[in-house]
Amino acid sequence: MSSTTSTTSTRPTGLASTASTATPVQTKGFVRGFVRRSVQRPWRLAAEASALLIAAVVAFPLYWMALSAFKPAGEIESTEPRPWTLSPSLDSFRRVFGQQEFGRYFLNSLVVAVTVVAVSALIAFLAATAVTRFRFRFRTTLLIMFLIAQMVPIEALTIPLFFQMRDLGQLNTLGALILPHIAFSLPFAIWMLRGFVKAVPEALEEAAYIDGASRTRFLWQILFPLVFPGLVATSVFSFISAWNDFLFAKSFIISDTSQSTLPMALLVFYKPDDPDWGGVMAASTVMTIPVLIFFVLVQRRLVSGLGGAVKD
């Protein structure tokens, strides 16, 4: 009589199965990766905490400005300021919008900022393309002059610009604000766009010419979309510079207050003997809103690169 021996096999499951099937090399790699992540985690947490701290420090003045705009006069002038308000009020905003000239100032600032952005972006795009794609005499000298122009403080040029605007007949007009801002925005814009134009391969330009595209078509239909992120970045700089300008508005708009811009509206509420801090903060908050809206609208373009259009 023969006896039959049955053998039962047990299959490991879960972690036991993974451990039994993993090779020594895989196990060592997993251990090294776990240790590396454990070591890097504190540094990552420290970096994130530092970024949050810097963001809080930068955002706190904006928060205090907006908070003061909603505080009643008694809380603003209190000797014990609090980072909150017990009774928010819109009185400061009512005083701001109650000014007859405030709407006019807002429109003037918008005209100046939009004109400076459009004109400087167009000229900077053409100039950056010229200094990048073409070889001509004194090209390097021209680029160095752009850098030197950025080093000169605006305050040192205010008086010469005043006489120049007077000779051109532009005093008490928006042109006295638009022309200087275009001139001061162009060196930075050209330098920045020069890098974007240089990043576009020349092979792409040659391929467009082989396919029958003219230089004008290549410039506006191929090159312009590729460097558009750079145009957006320079536009943000130009817009903020023109929108927040106080020096030129105070220096070149002398008698005709109807040509004043929004920063001049702060002087209506700031009086040396009796300053209206609620009105100043409310007007400053209203001034900040268009800049934030403009940045939100273009922030995607700021972080976008040339993308796959320049890939092979």
Side-chain angles (χ1 to χ4, degrees):
M1 184 175 177
S2 62
S3 59
T4 304
T5 305
S6 62
T7 304
T8 59
S9 60
T10 304
R11 292 184 178 179
T13 59
L15 296 175
S17 176
T18 304
S20 62
T21 56
T23 63
V25 176
Q26 293 175 341
T27 303
K28 291 181 180 179
F30 173 79
V31 173
R32 284 196 298 268
F34 178 79
V35 173
R36 188 184 302 109
R37 287 192 298 269
S38 300
V39 173
Q40 292 177 351
R41 187 172 301 173
W43 293 102
R44 182 176 180 180
L45 293 176
E48 294 176 353
S50 301
L52 291 176
L53 179 61
I54 294 174
V57 171
V58 173
F60 182 76
L62 298 177
Y63 167 76
W64 194 264
M65 177 188 67
L67 177 67
S68 300
F70 288 98
K71 282 184 176 182
E75 290 190 22
I76 295 177
E77 299 174 358
S78 176
T79 57
E80 298 179 357
R82 293 188 296 263
W84 64 83
T85 176
L86 300 177
S87 54
S89 174
L90 296 177
D91 292 339
S92 299
F93 290 96
R94 293 191 184 98
R95 292 195 301 273
V96 169
F97 291 107
Q99 294 290 330
Q100 297 180 356
E101 297 295 332
F102 186 81
R104 180 66 178 178
Y105 292 167
F106 187 92
L107 181 61
N108 290 340
S109 292
L110 191 62
V111 171
V112 171
V114 172
T115 304
V116 169
V117 167
V119 176
S120 62
L122 176 62
I123 298 177
F125 171 64
L126 297 176
T129 304
V131 298
T132 304
R133 295 298 188 186
F134 302 108
R135 299 292 183 266
F136 52 89
R137 294 184 62 184
F138 305 112
R139 185 173 68 96
T140 305
T141 305
L142 182 63
L143 294 175
I144 294 176
M145 291 299 297
F146 289 155
L147 285 180
I148 295 176
Q150 290 293 104
M151 299 177 184
V152 180
I154 297 178
E155 293 78 8
L157 300 177
T158 303
I159 295 178
L161 284 174
F162 174 84
F163 290 112
Q164 188 173 12
M165 292 298 109
R166 184 197 61 181
D167 296 339
L168 294 175
Q170 295 298 316
L171 291 180
N172 296 314
T173 64
L174 296 182
L177 307 180
I178 294 174
L179 294 177
H181 278 294
I182 291 176
F184 282 107
S185 300
L186 280 177
F188 172 80
I190 293 173
W191 260 102
M192 192 165 187
L193 287 178
R194 179 173 171 268
F196 280 83
V197 175
K198 192 175 182 179
V200 178
E202 295 184 2
L204 188 63
E205 181 176 1
E206 296 173 357
Y209 293 154
I210 292 175
D211 291 339
S214 62
R215 186 177 296 275
T216 303
R217 184 177 180 182
F218 168 78
L219 187 68
W220 296 108
Q221 295 186 8
I222 300 177
L223 185 61
F224 181 80
L226 295 178
V227 302
F228 190 73
L231 285 172
V232 171
T234 56
S235 298
V236 171
F237 171 79
S238 302
F239 184 88
I240 294 176
S241 176
W243 182 265
N244 294 331
D245 172 64
F246 178 82
L247 180 61
F248 290 163
K250 182 64 175 177
S251 303
F252 302 152
I253 307 299
I254 303 173
S255 58
D256 190 0
T257 57
S258 63
Q259 300 298 314
S260 296
T261 53
L262 202 54
M264 297 296 294
L266 299 178
L267 296 179
V268 177
F269 303 97
Y270 182 77
K271 300 176 182 179
D273 52 345
D274 186 21
D276 182 5
W277 293 114
V280 172
M281 294 302 175
S284 301
T285 302
V286 174
M287 285 181 56
T288 307
I289 292 176
V291 178
L292 295 178
I293 294 176
F294 180 75
F295 182 79
V296 170
L297 293 176
V298 303
Q299 58 93 17
R300 290 186 178 180
R301 294 290 184 177
L302 284 174
V303 298
S304 62
L306 297 178
V310 297
K311 294 181 180 179
D312 293 338

